[in-house]
Amino acid sequence: FCVGGLGDEHALQGTQSRGIAGPASPDKGLVSLRLVTAVLTLNAGENAFVDWAKIVDCGDAPLTFLDNTVALKQLDKAHKIISGRKSANSSYRTPRIITLGGDHTTTLSALRSAYERWGQVSVIHFDSHLDTWDPKVIGGGISHYAGVNHGTFLHLAHEEGLIRNSSIHAGIRAPIIRPKGDLRNDLRCGFEIVKARDIDRIGTHGVIEKLKQRVAGSRVYISVDIDVLDPAFAPATGTSEVGGWTTRELLTILDGLSGMEVIGGDIVEVAPIYDNPGETTVLAAAEVAHSLLTLMVQKPVKA
């Protein structure tokens, strides 16, 4: 397992860049994200840190904040290097990577890397936004450069053939630009939708079952945008949307996905500069990373 930091929200938008990254002295938020306590949890009844798997912090990938295209190429290279290393376990030689960050665009590099090692994957995408927008809509069709961003990366992943047509969003509640066109394009990109308010009707168990049924029989990549949580629980993100899930609900859903072949994941869009003194957001993000790690340890996967 490799854990890397991908930095502050909008790292690829021209502000501070830290990637699986950046300056020699890590910012407070990224350090906090790494403080996942190695303890036996009462909920899971197990300690993933002392199980069969060896867990390695791979540090930060160097990303420039001057050019988005160059930054993504740097990140592609970092993923290629890390995923190309042989794992410590002779039975499972391909490492599985959890990425910490960072602008959601970084998931595109992670999916490219996952495709090279595992083939097409189903994506479970926890977010308040679809992120499958056509670059001609988000980016204005002005240039390819403008069209690669944190609202289009799943559209691009579909266009590149990285993901299966058995993917699903969870926690969606944000406005859409073209009510019919955006939903048609989302379906074309291979996604179904569990809306945030569906949890009021079917509960966490119902959400878990929908996610499991959708990705059944495939290898899975889990991407968690911290804004899937309500701003009351995760204020430190660049695109907050009210009416989201609680931290407890998200963790219950993640832990309920046990048994799936999770080959990679990320927790992104954390912007520590916006967090409160209690570090509500980074604490939630660290526990999400813990849940992703536990899912991987529970189910070994061979490439």
Side-chain angles (χ1 to χ4, degrees), residues 258-280:
S258 177
M260 297 192 317
E261 292 192 338
V262 181
I263 55 81
D266 59 57
I267 170 68
V268 298
E269 296 284 325
V270 178
I273 193 172
Y274 300 144
D275 218 355
N276 55 41
E279 297 187 315
T280 305

Side-chain angles (χ1 to χ4, degrees), residues 238-300:
T239 46
S240 297
E241 303 285 352
V242 298
W245 290 343
T246 69
T247 308
R248 185 187 68 251
E249 288 168 340
L250 176 59
L251 293 175
T252 295
I253 292 167
L254 285 171
D255 293 346
L257 300 179
S258 177
M260 297 192 317
E261 292 192 338
V262 181
I263 55 81
D266 59 57
I267 170 68
V268 298
E269 296 284 325
V270 178
I273 193 172
Y274 300 144
D275 218 355
N276 55 41
E279 297 187 315
T280 305
T281 311
V282 293
L283 287 172
E287 196 56 38
V288 167
H290 189 186
S291 289
L292 293 175
L293 184 66
T294 301
L295 290 175
M296 292 184 178
V297 171
Q298 288 173 339
K299 183 71 173 180

Side-chain angles (χ1 to χ4, degrees), residues 177-224:
I177 299 170
R178 305 172 304 161
K180 292 184 179 179
D182 289 346
L183 292 177
R184 279 199 301 267
N185 188 63
D186 188 67
L187 184 63
R188 187 183 69 83
C189 289
F191 283 84
E192 288 187 356
I193 299 173
V194 175
K195 293 180 287 187
R197 295 194 185 189
D198 288 345
I199 203 169
D200 300 326
R201 179 173 51 86
I202 63 177
T204 55
H205 179 72
V207 173
I208 291 166
E209 288 306 305
K210 280 183 173 289
L211 299 182
K212 282 188 168 182
Q213 289 171 14
R214 178 63 175 169
V215 303
S218 64
R219 289 171 173 169
V220 179
Y221 184 95
I222 300 178
S223 181
V224 182

